[in-house]
Structure formats: C-alpha cells, structure tokens
Amino acid sequence: MNINQTRINYVDICFGLCWGDEGKGKIVSFLSKKGQYNFVCRWAGGNNAGHTIYLNGKKYKTHLIPSGVFFGIPSIIGPDCVINQKGFQEEINYLNENGFDTQLIKVSPKAHVITDSHIEEDNKKYFKTQGTTGKGIAPCYRDKYGRNGTRAESIDYFKKYLWDEKIYGNVLCEGAQGFWLDINYGNYPYVTSSTTLPYGACSLGFSPKIIRHIYGAAKIYDTRSGKDPLFPESLMESISLTNVGLKGEEYGTTTGRKRTINWLNLDKLINAIKLSGTTDIIISKVDILEELKEFHLIYNQKQNTYQSMSEMQIFIQTTINSLCPLVNKIYFSSNKEIVENFEF
Ligand code: IMP
Ligand code: MG
C-alpha cells in the first residue's frame, strides 16, 4: 500500500449505541483483520473499559490499549483519554507475555494522567453511590477540566511511548463505553466522564468531514453495568430477564459485576442512531433470545412481543430504516459468530 504520510484518506469509527458491552471488540477485530488501517485509535476514557478480542482461538482482554496492537497496527491512545501508569504497564506486560509488539502503542502527550489519589477518591466517593469502575475516571477528568491536571508529556515514564501526533492513511477509531454513558447524553450523574459519541473521535486530530463509516454496536437486549435508576433492581426479579443474563454471560469485563438486563429499548436505540449519525448497525447475540424463545422489545414505551426472531428482526429493520435516513445496513449476528460474513 502506497501511503501519503501527510494526509488522511478516511476515518471509520466503531462505537457503542447502548451502555457499553455491545461487542465492539468483535467488530473492531473484524475490521482490523482486513488489514486496511494504518492506525487504530482510542479517543476517550481510560481503563474503565473492557475490550474482548478473539484471535486464533484465544481470548484476550484489554482495558485501555486499542486493539490494533493484536493485528500489528499502530495503536494510539488519544489526547482526550486518561491513563494510569500502573494499569498501562500491566497491559503492556500482558501483551508482551503474549507475544504482541508493544512498540506499536503510542500515547498522546496531551492525555491526562490518573494518579493514585484519583483512584482513591473514586473508590471513596463514587464507587458505591454511582457504581463506577473505581479506576479514577471522574476525579481525573475533573482535574483536567479544572485545568489542574497532569499530562502524559510531563511524566518521564511515558516518554518512550509518546505519540508524534501524526495520523495518516486509513484510520479506525475505537469507541469505549456507549452512547447512554456519555457525559452529555447519558442519565447524568450515572454516566462516565467522557464523550462516547463518534464526534468525540475528532479530538484525535481530524475534521468530521473525513469520517466514512460509523459502525454502531448494539445487542438484541439491553444490559447495564453499574448503577442507573433507569435500570431498576426490580428487573432482576424477572425470570426471563435473569435467564437472558445467564445465557448471555452478562458479567462485567472490568469489574466482574453482574449486569442488569432489560429488553431492547428501540426508542433509545433509534435516538442514539440518529444523534450519532450511525451508518452501519451490528446487533449481536440474537441466538441468546432464540435459544430462550423470548422475543420482546420496547417501542413507543410499550413492550412488544413477537412469535420468532425473524419477525422481531423485520420489525427492527423496517422501523430503523423508516426513521434513520443515514443508515445503510443493519446486521444481526450471534454470540459465537466472529462477524466474518459482513460486507462492510
Ligand atoms: P466510570 O467510567 O468508572 O466513572 O463509571 C461510570 C459509569 O459507567 C458506571 O455506571 C460504570 O459501570 C459505567 N461504565 C464505565 N465504563 C464502562 C464500560 O466499559 N462498559 C460498561 N459500563 C461502563
Ligand atoms: Mg466493553
């Protein structure tokens, strides 16, 4: 590939349309494997995220480092990310032990540093009341926006990882968390402290005009990890929803906590698709509802029930297509399937 190192051809973005845990890792792996990207970048958040990557039959997990590193692609931690030295070094060690080239990993000099006292404060103040991941995210962003934070460029340890802030060719941006955890659009204060919407990716240093595809990830049912009054504890009393959680193995990648389950809220999904400008949608885990023969979703604030998965899929497809003009394709995939048959 002949690449002009002074310009970007296009940017693709993969992000979560719900509350995180929508299977972004699988989509990013699929896209990266095609080998067309020169960079894979994270634009926000820190090691509060949990990305699961399947490669050659093995399961890998990262929390901060973008998944490009698994596919030999330079991986950037962007200027609006937050980074804890110890957590970062642990991931570097893990990747080295598993034979991946960690020289591909670069950190923006502008990324802010999560200190031990940020972590301590998060665990003392927010962990219980807001169900945070306890990684120091909120206190670190508070100090950043209070113009009182510490950037990676001023810490010796990060020197050898610093990114030269050049970006070119074909770029993939990897979202963390999801639309409804966004600092502006989520159920505040039960949100994370960063911009989870695709526009946030422009903080990496490109114009919104250069964005090509926006891949939005969702599941055929909703899950929420952490506290949120919109996901009340009473949902746990439903046997059907409990079974979905068990069958779908809905436990947090970062915290190990049980996620609260609800039927897919199509009203919210459509809102997220429209506001984000999503062009391609991947709805995964349809096999979980198929196995349980439970075909429900929420639309116009009412619960709809269907006879089969195909009936439910047709409804989702026609409703989204009629309301979201930017959407090109909607894919449905199963849990085990590593999205191989998509024609993005
Ligand atoms: P924080 O980002 O650790 O401050 O957590 C704020 C809220 O976002 C809590 O409800 C967390 O459970 C949730 N959250 C943060 N990161 C993720 C994620 O990667 N997946 C799902 N939920 C997340
Ligand atoms: Mg995740």
Side-chain angles (χ1 to χ4, degrees), residues 84-103:
N84 173 255
Q85 184 177 322
K86 189 162 161 272
F88 178 73
Q89 185 59 49
E90 275 169 13
E91 278 188 47
I92 293 275
N93 294 346
Y94 168 79
L95 291 165
N96 279 334
E97 281 158 21
N98 284 286
F100 297 103
D101 180 5
T102 50
Q103 287 188 18

Side-chain angles (χ1 to χ4, degrees), residues 21 24 50-51:
D21 315 312
K24 295 181 286 291
H51 287 183

Side-chain angles (χ1 to χ4, degrees), residues 3 15 35 86 144 161 167 195 207 224 290 313:
I3 286 296
F15 86 111
K86 189 162 161 272
K144 169 176 172 167
Y161 295 105
I167 190 172
T195 310
S207 157
R224 175 65 155 106
E290 264 172 333
Q313 285 182 12

Side-chain angles (χ1 to χ4, degrees), residues 19 21 48-50 130-133 177 181 191-192 224-226 257:
W19 290 264
D21 315 312
N48 49 345
Q130 294 182 8
T132 67
T133 61
Q177 292 85 40
L181 290 173
V191 295
T192 191
R224 175 65 155 106
S225 101
R257 296 176 296 182

Side-chain angles (χ1 to χ4, degrees), residues 265-323:
N265 189 321
L266 192 56
D267 300 317
K268 283 192 110 76
L269 184 64
I270 285 169
N271 221 335
I273 293 166
K274 282 186 179 165
L275 274 161
S276 59
T278 299
T279 59
D280 298 83
I281 302 165
I282 301 94
I283 302 178
S284 63
K285 288 197 163 177
V286 294
D287 54 326
I288 305 297
L289 295 195
E290 264 172 333
E291 280 174 45
L292 294 168
K293 299 204 169 16
E294 297 268 12
F295 310 113
H296 316 281
L297 57 77
I298 297 159
Y299 185 58
N300 278 337
Q301 298 181 47
K302 285 195 205 78
Q303 188 175 314
N304 287 2
T305 295
Y306 304 88
Q307 294 307 311
S308 66
M309 183 44 71
S310 57
E311 195 192 346
M312 182 159 152
Q313 285 182 12
I314 289 167
F315 181 80
I316 294 172
Q317 198 124 24
T318 44
T319 311
I320 291 177
N321 281 334
S322 68
L323 296 171

Side-chain angles (χ1 to χ4, degrees), residues 16-27:
L17 282 163
C18 308
W19 290 264
D21 315 312
E22 308 98 335
K24 295 181 286 291
K26 281 184 187 175
I27 301 164

